[in-house]
Amino acid sequence: MAEPIIELDHVVKEFRAKGARTSTRAVDDVSLSIDKGDIFGIIGYSGAGKSTLVRMINALERPTSGTVRVLGQDITSLGESSLRPLRQKIGMIFQQFNLFSTKTVAQNVAYPLVLDHWRKDYLERRVNLLLRFVGLADQADKYPSQLSGGQKQRVGIARALATNPEIILADEATSALDPETTGEVLDLLKQVNQVLGVTIVLITHQMNVVQQIANHVAVMSDGRVVERGDAYSLFASPEQEVTKRFIATAISGLPDAERVVDIHRQWAGRIVTVLIRQKEARNELNGSWVSASGQNISELISKYAIPTNLVYGGIDTVAGSAIGAMTYELAGDAALVEDFLGELALNSDVFDFGTRQAPVEYGEAVLRPMPRKAGTVSAAADGDGRSAGQTDEDHDGGETR
Ligand code: ADP
């Protein structure tokens, strides 16, 4: 059963510079619920309001209006002394690690426990345990300057875990790291979530970070949450322009216009791109469903026995399910190709780029996928009803969470 651990209700945060007449609205009427055990990604461009939003979760900032509930407690008007025990339940990690350069790794990790007056032997045991968990047991006496970026963030994570928090807020925690180290740190955060059961709120401007570990995502733009959903659905059926732009940076497989020209140059046959969606997805914003796509393509290729070449493609995994696109050259008998495409388009989103001799304009092909209508095996040939490529009628409610 989903149990909310962080709830924001119509939260607004305005900043007014001293003496200024106008104010900046950094967070604009945000309502969000984050469940216990989630890895919740908040993605947006710089200045979207992500940091301000997250700083309201541990009351480093107070909302101008609206309420923030954390661990079942309304923290909006709590005084500093009442916030102290709550803040121990919330760890934070940062882009620049925020380690003390004059303290060793062990002393950095111990710092929150020293503040909390832990007995020396308990403290040492806890620090050793944490350093083992993050894979730095042999670096305890080093100083931050002797560590790599990834190791520094591991220290940051160990320190954030020191007081046994229930929530970790990660503010651009991997933005200063190279892709490989980013992957390692994200794997560690996944462990923190899965082994220790810690809820993680991850703010980032990197879609691939969200793609790698988040199960839920909210997209922020100009202080507002413009789109949200489970990670798979957001990747599979983005509605907002800003979401689409972010996704384009993370999902591979769809050829751009130039690439299609290139493919036509190399291959004479019919060029089609099939979107791959392993399962259906629901857009939370408008409640619409998009169905799975491309799941029976191999089966149909053998059934029709048409010569095919796989000429471009890519598949990524989001929240454990595949998303991507595959582009084929289809050769051989034109009528057979037409029938094959007609059947393929019954259950898949297909972009038809035509042939070298008769290419279809890129925008036309991508904006108007082949129609998905029952009983229209030759629909593509008739040009019948070339409108939406997606229907919601075949949703059976089976697989989404
Ligand atoms: P993000 O984390 O998405 O980059 P921020 O939350 O840092 O966005 O900032 C959102 C907006 O609020 C920006 O316009 C920023 O300049 C403004 N802002 C953030 N903090 C303050 C502050 N302490 N005083 C004034 N303006 C601020």
Side-chain angles (χ1 to χ4, degrees):
M1 229 348 242
E3 179 190 332
I5 192 167
I6 298 166
E7 294 164 282
L8 297 133
D9 189 26
H10 295 290
V11 170
V12 171
K13 176 68 187 179
E14 290 178 344
F15 292 106
R16 188 189 293 266
K18 265 209 181 101
R21 286 178 154 260
T22 54
S23 53
T24 313
R25 191 169 269 219
V27 171
D28 188 5
D29 194 22
V30 167
S31 298
L32 261 191
S33 177
I34 298 176
D35 288 339
K36 194 171 163 56
D38 268 353
I39 299 184
F40 197 104
I42 299 176
I43 186 157
Y45 293 109
S46 179
K50 309 180 296 294
S51 292
T52 307
L53 187 76
V54 142
R55 286 164 62 80
M56 286 192 280
I57 295 174
N58 59 3
L60 288 175
E61 298 285 1
R62 307 289 188 142
T64 307
S65 61
T67 53
V68 180
R69 291 179 71 82
V70 179
L71 291 158
Q73 207 176 357
D74 182 350
I75 65 164
T76 322
S77 49
L78 282 187
E80 281 301 311
S81 59
S82 322
L83 281 171
R84 205 164 302 133
L86 184 93
R87 288 210 180 109
Q88 293 205 331
K89 296 277 157 214
I90 308 176
M92 194 151 185
I93 55 175
F94 307 89
Q95 176 171 4
Q96 296 305 336
F97 322 120
N98 293 16
L99 304 178
F100 294 106
S101 58
T102 55
K103 291 187 195 291
T104 64
V105 165
Q107 287 165 344
N108 266 286
V109 175
Y111 186 70
L113 304 177
V114 173
L115 286 186
D116 200 28
H117 309 294
W118 276 47
R119 224 174 75 185
K120 191 162 177 288
D121 52 343
Y122 283 127
L123 178 145
E124 281 172 1
R125 212 176 307 153
R126 176 101 186 122
V127 170
N128 286 336
L129 184 80
L130 288 162
L131 288 179
R132 267 206 309 274
F133 183 77
V134 301
L136 290 178
D138 52 349
Q139 310 287 326
D141 298 324
K142 294 237 172 98
Y143 287 88
S145 60
Q146 298 170 289
L147 304 179
S148 69
Q151 288 174 321
K152 283 182 203 167
Q153 197 54 291
R154 285 171 186 273
V155 179
I157 292 170
R159 182 184 54 186
L161 289 173
T163 53
N164 225 346
E166 294 195 37
I167 298 167
I168 282 194
L169 307 176
D171 188 347
E172 298 282 1
T174 57
S175 299
L177 306 175
D178 61 57
E180 194 181 327
T181 315
T182 293
E184 287 166 18
V185 168
L186 293 179
D187 282 346
L188 178 59
L189 286 177
K190 214 182 232 179
Q191 289 260 317
V192 167
N193 174 256
Q194 288 174 354
V195 178
L196 307 176
V198 175
T199 304
I200 297 178
V201 182
L202 193 78
I203 72 171
T204 180
H205 66 281
Q206 296 170 302
M207 199 68 188
N208 60 337
V209 165
V210 168
Q211 178 194 346
Q212 282 179 66
I213 64 167
N215 61 340
H216 276 84
V217 186
V219 182
M220 277 192 86
S221 178
D222 286 336
R224 290 180 160 263
V225 168
V226 294
E227 191 155 10
R228 78 184 70 169
D230 69 87
Y232 180 84
S233 299
L234 203 86
F235 273 82
S237 66
E239 279 279 312
Q240 301 293 314
E241 207 46 51
V242 52
T243 315
K244 289 179 185 169
R245 268 189 277 143
F246 273 118
I247 286 169
T249 64
I251 296 278
S252 51
L254 190 63
D256 59 19
E258 246 170 71
R259 177 65 66 149
V260 172
V261 170
D262 229 35
I263 294 171
H264 276 316
R265 206 173 291 140
Q266 292 179 54
W267 306 90
R270 184 91 165 254
I271 304 299
V272 295
T273 297
V274 184
L275 295 190
I276 307 295
R277 276 193 303 271
Q278 189 179 337
K279 60 181 191 183
E280 63 192 355
R282 181 175 184 272
N283 186 293
E284 267 184 39
L285 209 65
N286 60 16
S288 67
W289 287 89
V290 294
S291 41
S293 177
Q295 298 306 288
N296 61 346
I297 181 142
S298 307
E299 194 186 305
L300 293 181
I301 287 172
S302 0
K303 175 175 163 189
Y304 284 81
I306 45 172
T308 58
N309 285 298
L310 183 52
V311 297
Y312 192 79
I315 295 187
D316 290 288
T317 306
V318 176
S321 297
I323 286 184
M326 300 300 241
T327 299
Y328 293 86
E329 185 223 20
L330 311 173
D333 181 73
L336 197 60
V337 166
E338 215 59 67
D339 285 348
F340 163 82
L341 285 176
E343 187 165 353
L344 178 65
L346 292 179
N347 295 303
S348 296
D349 295 331
V350 182
F351 303 148
D352 177 6
F353 293 109
T355 60
R356 186 190 292 163
Q357 292 300 323
V360 175
E361 201 264 316
Y362 185 84
E364 173 78 3
V366 172
L367 290 175
R368 297 175 188 269
M370 298 183 71
R372 274 194 183 199
K373 284 197 176 146
T376 52
V377 170
S378 301
D382 311 336
D384 166 45
R386 291 173 72 87
S387 53
Q390 298 159 352
T391 69
D392 56 6
E393 62 208 20
D394 47 357
H395 156 237
D396 64 10
E399 285 179 293
T400 44
R401 15 173 305 163

